Amino acid sequence: MTPPARPEAPARLLVAGVGNIFLADDAFGPEVLRALAAHPLPPGAKARDFGIRGLDLAYELLDGYDTAVLVDAAPRGHRPGTLSLIEPDPPGTGPAAAPPEAHGMDPAKVLALAAHLGDGPLPRVLVLACEPEIRVRGDEDVMPGLSDPVRRAVEHAVRALHTMVPVLLDDPAATPPLSRPDQSSPPATAALPHLAAGGAQDRRRSAPSCATSPPSTTSPS
């Protein structure tokens, strides 16, 4: 007699806040995770603020998740407060690939580190990015507090996550809407966010830059 098939394990999803709370709009990711504490995501989704702890995030990505959504501030040339949904290319292995690095929070280097540390495949990674208004450079002083458009975007991001996460838990390969269907298109496959040229070399002192193809976006109202 053939034994009954085992039910498939439910999908697991990580929502990771990324950013420095002392560098103005770079605190977008941590602020969204703080707001999620009052609006929990459904079972199967884990929400955690990683701040600038890149090594912690790299190890977490190896914990068997099907999908990971990084919530981050990333300048992409849109109006401040605009949300973009990006699907990065997986970390490369050629000479142009970002080197693994155990310190700081450049997303490209964090994913390269996770790939270096683990033997299995990484989860599918999406980035929910917010266009910053204030970009603090590495040689500037601490500047806590979000700008007004980015602060308003925190609530929009929470709503977007509550729309996206059930879709991704049901089908990790799905293309989730960013907001209302008429405000989003399939997430662009893009290069990973990299640091701005001439900026500081980790997220302890600098906000990230992005050089990627056009994403799906939701502009602030």
Side-chain angles (χ1 to χ4, degrees):
M1 180 177 180
T2 304
R6 293 182 179 181
E8 291 187 8
R12 297 179 63 224
L13 182 145
L14 174 68
V15 175
V18 173
N20 191 323
I21 62 173
F22 298 111
L23 295 183
D25 288 342
D26 199 49
F28 172 74
E31 286 295 327
V32 171
L33 269 290
R34 191 162 71 94
L36 279 175
H39 304 279
L41 294 170
K46 177 179 179 179
R48 181 179 172 190
D49 175 20
F50 288 87
I52 58 172
R53 302 186 307 278
L55 183 60
D56 287 355
L57 176 55
Y59 275 115
E60 189 72 24
L61 290 171
L62 300 174
D63 198 30
Y65 295 99
D66 297 280
T67 314
V69 180
L70 310 186
V71 185
D72 196 10
R76 299 179 56 78
H78 301 296
R79 288 172 54 195
T82 298
L83 298 179
S84 300
L85 183 61
I86 310 160
E87 181 161 9
D89 291 325
T93 57
E101 183 178 293
H103 302 286
M105 187 55 102
D106 173 16
K109 294 180 179 179
V110 168
L111 293 187
L113 177 61
H116 177 74
L117 292 172
D119 296 327
L122 294 177
R124 180 190 184 195
V125 175
L126 298 171
V127 180
L128 180 60
C130 179
E131 183 74 27
E133 181 174 65
I134 301 172
R135 296 177 60 184
V136 179
R137 296 296 183 181
D139 57 352
E140 293 181 288
D141 292 333
V142 168
M143 188 185 297
L146 299 178
S147 64
D148 287 342
V150 172
R151 184 171 298 282
R152 290 192 295 270
V154 169
E155 181 180 349
H156 296 310
V158 170
R159 291 203 301 266
L161 287 166
H162 274 275
T163 299
M164 293 164 50
V165 165
V167 173
L168 291 168
L169 286 173
D170 184 61
D171 179 6
T175 298
L178 178 57
S179 182
R180 297 192 301 271
D182 61 340
Q183 289 182 311
S184 63
S185 58
T189 298
L192 282 162
H194 288 280
L195 292 170
Q201 291 303 304
D202 63 55
R203 294 297 290 272
R204 289 174 294 182
R205 296 295 302 164
S206 66
S209 177
C210 252
T212 61
S213 56
S216 66
T217 60
T218 297
S219 298
S221 55

